[in-house]
Amino acid sequence: ARERYAGKNPKSRERYEAAAAALPGGNTRSVLYHPPFPLGIVRGEGCRVWDADGHEYVNLVGEYTAGLYGHSHPVIMAAVRRALDDGINLSGHTMLEGPFAAAISARIPSMELLRFTNSGTEANTLALATATLHTGRRKVLVFDGGYHGSVLSFHGGHGDPLNLPHEFVIATYNDPDVDITDEYAAVLVEPVLGSGGCIPGTPEFLTALRRKATEHGALLIFDEVMTSRLSAGGRQALLGITPDLTTIGKYIGGGMSFGAFGGRRDVMERFDPSRPDAVAHPGTFNNNVLTMSAGLAGLTEVYTPAAAVALNARGDALRERLNALTAGLPAHFSGIGSMLAVHFLSEPPTNAAAADGADPRLRELFFLDLLERGIHVARRGMVALSLAVGDTECDQFTAAVEAFLADRRGFLA
Ligand code: PMP
């Protein structure tokens, strides 16, 4: 399958080799790499993209949830153009950041006060710094398979070498008996393990974290960078759990660079620069007008609460159809709403170690076979639906999965 792929994509190979002159391995975004070389994408429109060799794909990667609006939503495009027309890099407060923050806070009421960053990584970095400052403690509880950014990544029971130097303790996801003590500054958790395989946190697990964090004075931080798309108010609204701090990113910036952290007023107030005990959080691009304009238009005009319900219902229906196809086979589509991931296992995984039990070769075959059929899913087997994906594309994807299951019966036995 790799050879066929290489044969069909000479221009992507050329791009890859040329880029290696100044980028390590031709890459500036690790998640996009896969052997023998990744595709070079030249253009996108709606839910479709075109690669350097002229192949067309339905994009189901959905920019790992950031691409919720698709590639060319007219409202988003108009908002960005408006911002461009008024000039960029204005060296001051803009008229947009206040209304944008208010729109977010109205949707996610636990974010009483919030601050903007430029990525989810930065949002989580600041949230952890805030929690350690607020509590005067150093330990941070995280979960195996958790991904909170390029310096906050945990798998196989350990953290990445580039991780921030917090005193991390790594626990098992979905274990409601996890131990939380008075030494913890924060519990940092994704309400659905996203990069770790779209594994939903059980209500029992997340409720236990809420209760224990409160009992021991640790701040509960929900990383809703991916899951904020699951309803207007994120997964926390669906569960009725109020974290102390929340981090968001991805689609909420309208497809521009974005992150934000926020939560309890008494915790976030320290960032008020007029206070004598204020802590500083400067940041040249925190209020960049392209993000502020696209994000505000997206939340208020496009991804309304009703649109969120419809998109996630589409995802649920799609997952149900796919799991009907895989019934009796060692394959399962996990996730909630518009976030899906394939696992070549007989049981849906409930934590990262279980997900790691799948044969990685099947995941690669799934990815390459689907590309052949004009469907682009994330290399790790993840799908994030955009608003541009319609019934036709869901049918096309379902048919491609059905064909994969038939073609690769031998490998699945
Ligand atoms: N948290 C979660 C849950 C994520 O999925 C990601 C990105 N995949 C991040 C944080 C980091 O966001 P960014 O890539 O914008 O730094």
Side-chain angles (χ1 to χ4, degrees), residues 119-121 124 147-149 190 195 223 225-226 250:
S119 68
T121 301
N124 282 311
Y147 182 81
H148 306 283
E190 293 167 82
S195 307
D223 177 346
V225 167
M226 279 193 176
K250 305 252 190 211

Side-chain angles (χ1 to χ4, degrees), residues 246-268:
T246 297
T247 55
I248 53 176
K250 305 252 190 211
Y251 90 87
I252 292 187
M256 305 293 119
S257 303
F258 175 73
F261 65 105
R264 272 167 43 189
R265 179 173 294 276
D266 66 304
V267 178
M268 291 300 296

Side-chain angles (χ1 to χ4, degrees), residues 141 143 174-180 187 189 201-216 218 220 222 239 241:
L141 188 67
F143 296 89
N174 270 332
D175 173 13
D177 297 326
V178 58
D179 201 27
I180 299 178
V187 178
V189 66
T202 64
E204 185 197 11
F205 167 63
L206 296 167
T207 305
L209 295 185
R210 174 64 286 177
R211 181 174 49 77
K212 290 180 194 188
T214 304
E215 275 169 19
H216 295 283
L220 178 63
F222 269 11
L239 292 166
I241 298 176

